């Protein structure tokens, strides 16, 4: 059974049938695990919380260590991501081959980011792939009017732009800011630009909230292991 994740705005029915499960919640939306052939019947939003385009792209395969969810399940998903990321206004038709190239680039970026986070050497093949993808023409940003621009480029230009941003990240000092989310099952990477350098969560409204709720339940259970409520003033 093919599954996919969708982020659905509150108050909107995401699929024709009930979702398989809820895997995350934010203040204004819910992330649902649904049958892949149903996910496009509602409003789908990608999440951009990594503070870097390349890391947000790497996060289009989520929950890697437990139950991987492919967010770029179809060519149309790649077009939607490119548009929502603000890379291009009209990505055009994306082929299956273009989707395969995007996934290959994504995985090279993810592995290289993990190496950066761990202070290890990046795989030569991954560095080569990122560099080769960056050689192509980039998305063109053209001024239309005061306060208005047009972003032109198809899938090839989008991937070249993502690869270039990845190269700038991994080849510069910001590579030392790459962190992995402290969420129990989350495998998203992000840049820690906090002043204290202690950012733990990819998103406080999802992973952070879940962790706080889990810690609260754990403390409550430890304080009252029998499950009984603490005695009130009239029980003594």
């Amino acid at each position: 059974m093919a599954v996919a994740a969708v982020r659905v705005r509150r108050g909107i029915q995401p699929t024709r049938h009930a979702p398989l499960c809820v895997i995350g919640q934010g203040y204004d939306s819910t992330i649902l695990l649904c049958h892949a052939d149903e996910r496009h019947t509602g409003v789908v939003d990608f999440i951009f919380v990594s503070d870097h385009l390349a890391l947000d792209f790497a996060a289009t395969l989520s929950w890697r260590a437990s139950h991987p969810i492919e967010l770029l399940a179809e060519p149309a998903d790649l077009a939607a991501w490119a548009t929502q990321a603000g890379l291009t206004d009209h990505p055009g038709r994306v082929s299956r081959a273009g989707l395969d190239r995007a996934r290959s680039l994504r995985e090279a970026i993810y592995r290289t980011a993990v190496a950066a986070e761990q202070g290890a050497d990046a795989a030569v093949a991954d560095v080569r792939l990122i560099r080769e993808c960056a050689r192509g023409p980039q998305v063109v940003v053209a001024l239309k009017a005061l306060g208005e621009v047009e972003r032109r480029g198809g899938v090839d230009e989008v991937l070249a732009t993502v690869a270039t941003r990845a190269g700038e990240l991994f080849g510069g000092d910001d590579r030392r800011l790459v962190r992995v989310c402290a969420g129990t099952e989350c495998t998203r990477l992000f840049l820690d630009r906090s002043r204290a350098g202690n950012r733990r969560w990819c998103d406080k409204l999802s992973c952070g909230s879940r962790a706080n709720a889990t810690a609260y339940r754990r403390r409550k259970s430890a304080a009252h292991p029998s499950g009984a409520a603490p005695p009130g003033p009239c029980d003594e």
Side-chain angles (χ1 to χ4, degrees), residues 74-80 82 91-102 154-155:
E74 299 294 337
D77 297 326
L78 177 57
R93 181 180 177 275
V94 179
S95 66
R96 181 66 61 174
L99 178 61
D100 290 340
R101 292 198 306 275
V155 63

Side-chain angles (χ1 to χ4, degrees), residues 100-133:
D100 290 340
R101 292 198 306 275
R103 289 175 177 171
S104 295
L105 173 61
R106 177 190 66 191
E107 295 310 296
I109 290 173
Y110 187 84
R111 290 188 294 263
T112 305
V114 169
E117 192 270 337
Q118 296 176 347
D121 292 332
V124 174
D126 290 336
V127 172
R128 182 185 304 117
L129 177 59
I130 294 171
R131 185 172 62 242
E132 289 176 352
C133 287

Side-chain angles (χ1 to χ4, degrees), residues 2-3 21 62 76 91 100 102 104 106 162 168 188 217 220 224:
V3 296
C21 63
S62 61
D100 290 340
S104 295
R106 177 190 66 191
V162 171
E168 293 170 346
R188 191 181 190 107
R217 288 194 298 269
K220 187 175 181 181
H224 311 290

Side-chain angles (χ1 to χ4, degrees), residues 111-189:
R111 290 188 294 263
T112 305
V114 169
E117 192 270 337
Q118 296 176 347
D121 292 332
V124 174
D126 290 336
V127 172
R128 182 185 304 117
L129 177 59
I130 294 171
R131 185 172 62 242
E132 289 176 352
C133 287
R135 288 176 179 169
Q138 309 280 308
V139 170
V140 175
V141 180
L143 180 66
K144 292 182 66 177
L146 191 61
E148 185 179 3
V149 297
E150 180 182 16
R151 294 173 173 84
R152 305 171 186 164
V155 63
D156 291 337
E157 290 76 17
V158 165
L159 296 183
T161 302
V162 171
T164 297
R165 302 277 183 88
E168 293 170 346
L169 170 62
F170 300 137
D173 291 341
D174 278 356
R175 72 187 188 281
R176 299 187 178 93
L177 303 180
V178 176
R179 303 286 186 271
V180 61
C181 181
T184 303
E185 295 185 324
C186 184
T187 54
R188 191 181 190 107
L189 297 158

Side-chain angles (χ1 to χ4, degrees), residues 55-80:
L55 300 183
D56 280 321
F57 187 58
T60 56
L61 179 62
S62 61
W63 307 82
R64 291 168 177 263
S66 52
H67 46 275
I69 300 173
E70 178 58 77
L71 301 181
L72 300 181
E74 299 294 337
D77 297 326
L78 177 57

Side-chain angles (χ1 to χ4, degrees), residues 200-211:
R200 299 185 62 202
W201 317 111
C202 64
D203 185 6
K204 289 182 179 180
L205 296 176
S206 54
C207 288
S209 294
R210 283 198 301 275

